[in-house]
Amino acid sequence: MASVFKNLSFSSSIIPYFVPIFFSCFFIVSHSEYLSNTTSFPSITTKNTNVSDGGEWVLLHKSIGVSAMHMQLLINDRVIIFDRTDMGPSNLSLPDGTACRQYIAHNRTVNDCTAHSLLYDLATDTFRPLFVASEFWCSSGALEPNGTLVQTGGYGDIGIRKIRTFSPCNDGSCQWIELPEKLSDNRWYASNQILPDGRVIVVGGRRAFSYEFYPKKNDKWFYFRFLAETNDQGEENNLYPFLHLLPDGNLFIFANNRSILFDYNNNRIVKELPGMPVAVKRNYPSTGSSVLLPLKMNGILSELGLPQVEILICGGAPPSAFHKAKYENVHVLASNSCGRIKLSDPDPKWVMEEMPMPRVMSDMLLLPTGDVLIINGASNGTAGWENAENPVFNPVLYRTYESDPERRFVVLKPAGIPRMYHSSAVLVPDGRVLVGGSNPHEMYNFRRAFPTDLSLEAFHPPYLAPLFASLRPSILTVETRDDTVSYGQEFSVTFVLSEYRADPGITVALVTPSFTTHSFAMNQRIVVLDVARLVRLSTSAYKITAYGPPKNTVAPPGYYLLFLVHAGTPSHGVWVRVQ
């Protein structure tokens, strides 16, 4: 691919200079040459005044009225945000005429006319309250191939088997829809993964050692012994299991401190992977986080092969940490360990690394260049009400492609707001990371050491610094057949760029919008495509032609954000449909 970029062909026709059109989409990048690396524990007083040295924090709203426990980016550049419906009134009123919710709490009837969900518009920086009838506390979600959010499970009789949908709209009319059909098993703290055929698999939940599929063809669910085996008595540590769809069509599933390759079509374990050499629990409530590192095609289309596959899991807590926090009020130090495993190796083994600080309840978000942002969380304790202390304010950048493990972690500019239990973060289309939530209490409580937080912030990664503006491509058009990126077929992107650098050149990446809650961004995925050619059209205009993903196991059907990355600087992205 590098040879393509170093031997640009020039069009004989000169087209007019294009004015950059900034589409409202998302991409994040690591400018590692401008970032300082440190192994010392950072504090909130860390001085980082230059944006390029570690990013920038911007407070968008002091209060959106709802604590952001769950977030999902939708394909029309809105973000749906919600917490739970049984904690009493929120600070966001429902519109006049909206039916109020009634429920029983502490032996009395509560009439709640406030919203517990909202739709945030990135373009206008405004939000609209949404009504929801059932309880979706600690639930899961995934986008269907048509862009509709399928949201599954929750809590209590009216939530734990519920299926809800939300279809994006631009006229303010869309609302939550509660489906009459129900899940086959209780799904509180379950995980979702979109599959190659467009179905969603829903795995696990509290005392639910099973999995099932949506759309439902019948009421069948499948017993999953692996979840029963990884359930620690009194602590669990296997809730919100980490799910990643692999290019061979199997699932990688991690629960507690064990992982397997699973054939969900035939309900069988293909391989049990070795345990991590560090004795740490990684899943809720000893909450770490997990990502499938970017899938790079590297010419595999012509070779009919599959890309290399690596998983990265970071953070968590030692055995018995939850019990000590909940019953003894002792908040033990979280883990600073990360495990990285190459599943495409014949004999996969975990390779351990150390973060600059211990972390539990942090979110790991894939950045479009392939780097990973580690954000939010605490350094002591576990997930759960009042179960953690010592918030970690500094995001950390993990540089995936850095060959020296000692140089992979970069500490970024600290936040000013603790983001503890029930906080979340999500990648958004204009290049920022939305960060919100934190309610480490049973109810909204603004008087504790770590009060319920209703604010919404944006973290600006270092690439947004003006220093890199000349390196940022601006996409003009995406030329596809029927507005679709088809598997294995060529498509082209025209763009403008002020300053082209042949080394390292330009890559084309597809990034999925993920459903983020409880430190796990479900369905998170980056596919780096094969490039066929790059043509210079004029002084600053170019056309790049790439091949769509080779198959639906590499990139499940649905909507993706397409980005061009040039010299470590991403374009604004555009939405494309892959099928």
Side-chain angles (χ1 to χ4, degrees):
M1 187 163 61
S3 62
V4 174
F5 298 135
K6 293 179 180 178
N7 295 281
L8 291 177
S9 59
F10 290 81
S11 171
S12 57
S13 62
I14 304 298
I15 66 174
Y17 179 80
F18 288 99
V19 177
I21 301 175
F22 293 98
F23 290 83
S24 178
C25 296
F26 172 81
F27 214 152
I28 298 180
V29 64
S30 160
H31 289 282
S32 57
E33 65 269 33
Y34 295 100
L35 299 176
S36 59
N37 201 355
T38 179
T39 57
S40 61
F41 190 91
S43 70
I44 194 171
T45 58
T46 299
K47 294 183 178 179
N48 252 329
T49 55
N50 190 332
V51 175
S52 65
D53 285 339
E56 183 179 34
W57 288 90
V58 176
L59 180 64
L60 301 174
H61 293 274
K62 186 176 180 180
S63 173
I64 56 174
V66 170
S67 190
M69 188 189 304
H70 312 74
M71 289 191 190
Q72 170 73 62
L73 172 64
L74 301 176
I75 63 174
N76 62 347
D77 295 347
R78 272 74 164 180
V79 178
I80 196 160
I81 298 172
F82 56 96
D83 53 10
R84 49 185 284 207
T85 62
D86 68 342
M87 67 175 66
S90 74
N91 283 20
L92 180 64
S93 297
L94 288 166
D96 292 341
T98 304
C100 299
R101 292 185 68 253
Q102 284 192 343
Y103 60 92
I104 304 297
H106 304 294
N107 297 319
R108 65 183 183 91
T109 300
V110 177
N111 194 44
D112 185 359
C113 298
T114 62
H116 298 276
S117 177
L118 61 90
L119 196 63
Y120 176 72
D121 188 327
L122 291 162
T124 63
D125 189 30
T126 59
F127 50 92
R128 175 169 67 90
L130 301 172
F131 174 80
V132 64
S134 60
E135 176 55 79
F136 45 20
W137 173 27
C138 301
S139 53
S140 53
L143 291 188
E144 290 188 284
N146 66 1
T148 294
L149 171 61
V150 175
Q151 210 276 313
T152 50
Y155 176 72
D157 294 340
I158 61 170
I160 203 162
R161 295 194 179 188
K162 201 69 180 180
I163 304 172
R164 311 162 197 84
T165 62
F166 190 94
S167 298
C169 67
N170 295 319
D171 61 3
S173 63
C174 43
Q175 296 286 342
W176 284 106
I177 296 175
E178 309 256 344
L179 302 186
E181 58 186 313
K182 294 184 178 181
L183 297 164
S184 301
D185 205 351
N186 296 336
R187 302 297 175 195
W188 188 29
Y189 302 101
S191 295
N192 291 12
Q193 172 64 55
I194 190 74
L195 298 174
D197 59 6
R199 293 182 299 164
V200 176
I201 188 170
V202 187
V203 179
R206 174 155 286 170
R207 294 180 290 276
F209 308 135
S210 64
Y211 65 92
E212 60 186 287
F213 300 94
Y214 176 87
K216 297 178 64 62
K217 294 183 178 179
N218 50 47
D219 290 333
K220 189 172 184 180
W221 56 269
F222 301 85
Y223 178 67
F224 195 17
R225 183 183 298 275
F226 174 71
L227 290 180
E229 293 174 347
T230 53
N231 182 46
D232 287 343
Q233 186 175 2
E235 290 202 350
E236 298 174 295
N237 288 325
N238 66 347
L239 301 179
Y240 279 124
F242 302 144
L243 308 181
H244 301 293
L245 175 68
L246 304 180
D248 64 3
N250 293 316
L251 285 179
F252 170 87
I253 303 180
F254 189 103
N256 197 317
N257 58 4
R258 291 173 54 190
S259 55
I260 59 171
L261 306 183
F262 186 65
D263 178 357
Y264 57 86
N265 285 313
N266 297 296
N267 193 25
R268 70 182 185 94
I269 294 176
V270 176
K271 178 185 287 189
E272 174 122 18
L273 297 164
M276 283 195 195
V278 178
V280 171
K281 310 295 185 174
R282 308 283 179 176
N283 293 84
Y284 183 92
S286 297
T287 306
S289 193
S290 173
V291 294
L292 169 68
L293 294 177
L295 302 173
K296 300 181 73 173
M297 296 304 99
N298 292 329
I300 67 167
L301 192 64
S302 60
E303 301 169 6
L304 299 179
L306 294 174
Q308 290 189 345
V309 183
E310 290 187 272
I311 303 289
L312 178 70
I313 296 175
C314 292
S320 301
F322 175 76
H323 187 279
K324 288 180 180 295
K326 185 175 180 62
Y327 299 106
E328 302 174 25
N329 197 32
V330 174
H331 302 129
V332 301
L333 192 67
S335 175
N336 69 341
S337 65
C338 294
R340 182 168 171 171
I341 189 169
K342 186 178 290 186
L343 300 179
S344 46
D345 280 352
D347 185 22
K349 294 259 191 318
W350 290 100
V351 177
M352 302 308 296
E353 302 179 59
E354 291 188 352
M355 293 185 288
M357 73 284 286
R359 235 174 170 127
V360 65
M361 299 186 295
S362 56
D363 293 284
M364 289 172 61
L365 301 179
L366 282 170
L367 309 182
T369 50
D371 294 331
V372 180
L373 184 69
I374 307 172
I375 197 167
N376 297 340
S379 59
N380 292 76
T382 69
W385 294 323
E386 327 295 342
N387 282 355
E389 60 184 2
N390 295 330
V392 181
F393 292 97
N394 293 78
V396 169
L397 191 71
Y398 179 85
R399 299 186 291 184
T400 301
Y401 304 121
E402 169 59 54
S403 58
D404 182 0
E406 299 297 322
R407 295 175 53 83
R408 285 191 182 140
F409 292 99
V410 180
V411 177
L412 302 179
K413 186 176 181 180
I417 299 175
R419 299 293 181 183
M420 306 284 279
Y421 186 43
H422 287 160
S423 62
S424 62
V426 69
L427 310 181
V428 296
D430 60 7
R432 302 169 296 165
V433 177
L434 280 192
V435 181
S438 190
N439 185 27
H441 320 293
E442 183 176 0
M443 310 290 283
Y444 277 10
N445 190 318
F446 303 100
R447 298 181 179 180
R448 303 298 294 264
F450 302 112
T452 299
D453 196 280
L454 307 180
S455 68
L456 188 67
E457 291 181 287
F459 178 67
H460 293 229
Y463 83 88
L464 284 176
L467 176 65
F468 308 116
S470 65
L471 301 177
R472 183 172 299 115
S474 294
I475 294 175
L476 298 175
T477 62
V478 179
E479 302 170 14
T480 63
R481 296 178 182 177
D482 301 321
D483 298 320
T484 299
V485 172
S486 300
Y487 293 112
Q489 301 300 308
E490 287 189 4
F491 70 97
S492 298
V493 181
T494 56
F495 63 97
V496 293
L497 177 63
S498 299
E499 178 187 349
Y500 176 75
R501 295 182 181 177
D503 187 11
I506 297 179
T507 57
V508 183
L510 299 175
V511 181
T512 54
S514 59
F515 180 91
T516 303
T517 189
H518 290 75
S519 302
F520 183 42
M522 302 175 195
N523 304 292
Q524 195 170 202
R525 198 175 201 84
I526 292 181
V527 181
V528 183
L529 302 178
D530 277 335
V531 171
R533 55 192 171 274
L534 176 64
V535 178
R536 188 170 185 177
L537 303 175
S538 70
T539 303
S540 59
Y542 302 81
K543 176 183 283 191
I544 191 167
T545 300
Y547 295 101
K551 56 196 302 187
N552 59 5
T553 54
V554 173
Y559 283 89
Y560 292 69
L561 286 167
L562 181 147
F563 300 94
L564 304 180
V565 183
H566 167 251
T569 307
S571 68
H572 287 226
V574 296
W575 289 103
V576 298
R577 188 170 188 175
V578 174
Q579 64 181 25

